[in-house]
Amino acid sequence: QVQLVESGGGLVQPGGSLRLSCTASGMDFSIYNMGWYRQAPGKQRELVARITSGGNTNYADSGKGRVTISRDNAKNTVYLQMNSLKPEDTAVYYCKAYYSRTYWGQGTQVTVSS
């Protein structure tokens, strides 16, 4: 079956960086559009960034200039590089794959705190 497994979350100080990874299995990764979303406590899940199967990218305003999404089809993996992290970036970050069907990962916690 399809699985999306996120990794790379953790505790980081304000101004720090993290790179999240999401590795897919059980699907033809190269044809799927991929996205990173986040959900903070008490808030709705929101888009952070997405990348199409063709490599086109789109970013939410909250992350522009600080966040980069990329993919490696040979590794079935999508990445989210986050720089200049702020306390308000604290959330569970989820990976999403969408094409004919939609799949979600289980999430990885990112905490930005001193």
Side-chain angles (χ1 to χ4, degrees):
Q1 75 268 23
V2 173
Q3 277 194 310
L4 300 175
V5 180
E6 299 100 333
S7 61
L11 174 64
V12 63
Q13 292 188 341
S17 298
L18 281 176
R19 188 176 83 154
L20 307 183
S21 301
C22 170
T23 300
S25 59
M27 59 188 282
D28 185 355
F29 179 80
S30 66
I31 69 172
Y32 275 78
N33 304 307
M34 302 297 296
W36 283 99
Y37 290 71
R38 68 185 185 186
Q39 188 166 19
K43 295 189 176 181
Q44 289 190 327
R45 193 172 296 189
E46 63 178 8
L47 172 71
V48 178
R50 53 192 170 201
I51 184 167
T52 68
S53 58
N56 294 315
T57 58
N58 178 241
Y59 296 93
D61 288 343
S62 60
K64 282 182 180 177
R66 302 188 298 122
V67 167
T68 303
I69 188 170
S70 60
R71 64 189 296 160
D72 185 340
N73 289 343
K75 295 182 178 180
N76 286 2
T77 300
V78 61
Y79 303 98
L80 186 70
Q81 177 68 45
M82 302 188 292
N83 301 321
S84 302
L85 283 162
K86 307 174 183 179
E88 52 262 44
D89 294 316
T90 296
V92 178
Y93 284 70
Y94 296 92
C95 173
K96 174 184 174 182
Y98 54 105
Y99 177 59
S100 54
R101 303 183 73 171
T102 298
Y103 302 98
W104 290 93
Q106 83 290 347
T108 186
Q109 177 70 47
V110 171
T111 303
V112 185
S113 175
S114 55

